[in-house]
Amino acid sequence: MLELQHVTRVFGPTRAVDDVSFLVPKGSVFGYIGPNGAGKTTSMRILATLELPTSGDAFVEGLSSVNDPDRVRRRLGFMPDHFSTYSDTSCAEYLDFFARSNGLVGRERTRRMRWVMDFTGLRAMAEKPINGLSKGMRQRLCLGRALIHDPSVLILDEPAAGLDPRARIELRQIIRSLAAEGKTILVSSHILSELAEICDRVGIIEQGRLLANDTVSALRMKSQFHQDLIILIDGPTDGALDSLSQLPCVSDVRCTDQTISFRVEGGPSKQIQVLHHLCDARVPVMEYRVVDESLEDLFMKLTSGHVQ
């Protein structure tokens, strides 16, 4: 449904997007994450036909955004990170303008406006001036504009930026509802914990290069070569600390009361070896568990913090 094929975008000496390829299947949510200046917005603008790639191509439902932009736009809704409004314009007038711009007429235009306002919760705000809306309602209005022509693909650039907790939760529910209806969604956000909850896959980009493209659980599995663990000891911890110090695969050992945290290098087999070693040394281990890594943890592991 949505694909980048070896897309590169160069601005002078800067390669904003550097040979990026990924595919988003129909009805799925793809989280696109990276630091500011990583190339997220540029590649999203290329998909949305607002930017031409230096090389490569982007496709929506098999149509090239470079060679067939008009047909792509009919299938795609784009929600930018910042959008302009018109002074003294109500929500209904704003949506009506974009419905007409997308060629909707008569009953079809009325039907789509009614559906969008109901779906985004803007019905009570229909006659309210846009300038009087809260940040959350303005984001809903921008999403409504992207949905007005019933696109099969949505590109959402930082839709949750500046929203309060309730508005973020409601937006997350809206995104999952749209995916359940079969729409394909590409969403970027700096709120990684929320992306982990709604995304089927994530792509991590830094300095224009795609570093990872997988499910969150698969990324966790790949990162287990360096895994943090915690053990709880019944009694003094001296024996456990001595045993752990004998293992070259163990590092970063920290002890607080009867709890010891440490890092194991070498994957699951080494983690099993550590447990056997502690048992052989008759260390009274009450609990032995892996520290679950969040998407933020994976992001920090995979990226270096460099910007262009």
Side-chain angles (χ1 to χ4, degrees), residues 22-24 28-32 185-187 199-203 213:
F22 62 76
L23 177 70
V24 185
S28 63
V29 181
F30 184 85
Y32 203 28
I185 302 171
L186 173 64
V187 54
C199 292
D200 301 294
R201 297 177 70 90
V202 295
N213 174 15

Side-chain angles (χ1 to χ4, degrees), residues 216-249:
V216 175
S217 59
L219 289 176
R220 288 194 181 110
M221 290 294 295
K222 291 176 182 177
S223 72
Q224 283 185 355
F225 187 83
H226 305 284
Q227 185 66 62
D228 293 327
L229 291 97
I230 290 177
I231 59 174
L232 181 63
I233 305 301
D234 182 17
T237 59
D238 295 345
L241 293 172
D242 289 341
S243 296
L244 291 172
S245 67
Q246 299 170 17
L247 297 172
C249 62

Side-chain angles (χ1 to χ4, degrees), residues 1-3 5 23 57-65 67-68 71-72 75 153:
M1 285 295 290
L2 190 66
E3 184 176 11
Q5 288 186 358
L23 177 70
D57 205 345
F59 296 90
V60 174
E61 291 189 338
L63 299 171
S64 167
S65 65
N67 299 320
D68 209 350
R71 293 174 69 192
V72 165
R75 292 161 171 79
V153 174

Side-chain angles (χ1 to χ4, degrees), residues 254-273:
R254 302 177 185 180
C255 182
T256 304
D257 297 328
Q258 293 175 285
T259 301
I260 301 174
S261 63
F262 55 94
R263 174 163 294 179
V264 176
E265 297 187 18
S269 63
K270 290 294 184 181
Q271 298 168 31
I272 295 171
Q273 179 183 326

Side-chain angles (χ1 to χ4, degrees), residues 100-135:
R100 293 171 185 268
S101 298
N102 281 283
L104 299 178
V105 296
R107 293 181 180 177
E108 177 64 11
R109 184 174 76 244
T110 302
R111 185 185 68 82
R112 283 303 302 170
M113 285 187 59
R114 184 181 296 116
W115 182 89
V116 165
M117 283 193 280
D118 287 341
F119 182 76
T120 58
L122 289 170
R123 170 70 67 180
M125 306 285 180
E127 303 306 321
K128 188 170 183 176
I130 296 174
N131 293 341
L133 296 179
S134 66
K135 173 68 173 178

